[in-house]
Amino acid sequence: SLAATMQLALERLDVGEIMVERRSERRLRLMLQYASDVICILDHDLTIVHVTAAVEPIVGLPAPELLGMNWLDMVTTEDRDAARDLVSLAQGGRPARGEIRLDNESGSTRHVDAVVTEVIDEDLMGFVVTCHDITDRHDLEQQLTHQAFHDALTGLANRALFRDRLGHAMARARGA
C-alpha cells in the first residue's frame, strides 16, 4: 500500500513536470511566433534551420520557404562581405552587431540592425541571427541630412554643404 502510494505520488510529479515543460515550450513558441524582430537559427555553413514569421514583411517570403536556404542569399550583394565579417567576429564567442541590407522579393531593400551570436550546443553548432528592421529610421536620417544641406525651395546645395565640402577638400589638401 505504501509502495503503491509512493508510485502514484512519483507519477503525479512526473505528470506535473511534463505539464510545466509543455507550458514553457508553448510560451516559447508564442514568443517566437509573435516576435517583431527576425530570429534565424543557422547551422555551421549558414543554412537557415529555423526562422520566425517576422521575416516575411522584410524579405517578402514566408518563413517555411527560407528553410534550407543560405542566409547570405537574403543579404544584398554589396553587404555580403559585411555579413561574413559579422559571422567571423561572432566565432570569437562574442555577439557581433552591424547594419546590413536584405533583399526583398519585390525588388526593394530593407535596412536591418543584425546581431550574430555563435551557438555551440549538443543539438546545434551554428549561429543565431536577430534582425531588427531599421529602414524607416534610415530613410528619415537620409531625409534629414538632405534637408540640412539643401535649400527647401530649390533643392540646390546650401551654404552648409558648401562649407562641409570645402572643409573636406582643405583637409585632403593638407594631407597631400
Side-chain angles (χ1 to χ4, degrees):
S1 164
L2 182 59
T5 304
M6 288 293 286
Q7 181 64 29
L8 184 60
L10 289 173
E11 287 175 8
R12 284 186 181 164
L13 279 175
D14 287 343
V15 169
E17 287 176 9
I18 290 170
M19 295 299 287
V20 168
E21 189 174 316
R22 284 184 182 166
R23 265 189 250 128
S24 178
E25 287 175 7
R26 196 169 98 238
R27 284 186 191 127
L28 180 60
R29 268 197 307 276
L30 287 171
M31 281 185 352
L32 291 174
Q33 180 180 354
Y34 293 107
S36 60
D37 288 349
V38 176
I39 303 169
C40 287
I41 299 175
L42 314 174
D43 64 13
H44 66 283
D45 63 351
L46 307 185
T47 300
I48 299 171
V49 176
H50 178 80
V51 64
T52 57
V55 74
E56 188 169 354
I58 294 175
V59 299
L61 291 172
E65 289 186 29
L66 298 172
L67 298 178
M69 182 174 142
N70 189 294
W71 176 66
L72 293 175
D73 292 339
M74 292 192 313
V75 178
T76 60
T77 306
E78 300 83 16
D79 287 355
R80 286 194 183 148
D81 287 339
R84 282 187 196 96
D85 290 345
L86 288 176
V87 170
S88 295
L89 288 170
Q91 287 177 332
R94 298 185 65 184
R97 171 181 238 130
E99 186 178 321
I100 58 173
R101 292 170 294 171
L102 301 180
D103 286 326
N104 187 296
E105 278 296 299
S106 68
S108 65
T109 301
R110 304 297 293 181
H111 294 260
V112 296
D113 180 33
V115 178
V116 181
T117 307
E118 184 178 33
V119 175
I120 298 174
D121 187 70
E122 59 197 38
D123 295 329
L124 174 75
M125 282 187 51
F127 302 91
V128 172
V129 179
T130 58
C131 297
H132 179 73
D133 190 349
I134 58 169
T135 304
D136 293 338
R137 184 186 85 192
H138 183 270
D139 292 346
L140 181 60
E141 287 171 357
Q142 295 293 336
Q143 181 183 2
L144 291 173
T145 300
H146 185 270
Q147 288 174 358
F149 291 120
H150 294 82
D151 181 74
L153 183 61
T154 64
L156 296 173
N158 64 16
R159 188 178 306 156
L161 182 61
F162 173 74
R163 286 182 181 159
D164 181 64
R165 299 288 163 83
L166 182 62
H168 286 293
M170 290 174 63
R172 278 195 313 263
R174 276 188 231 119

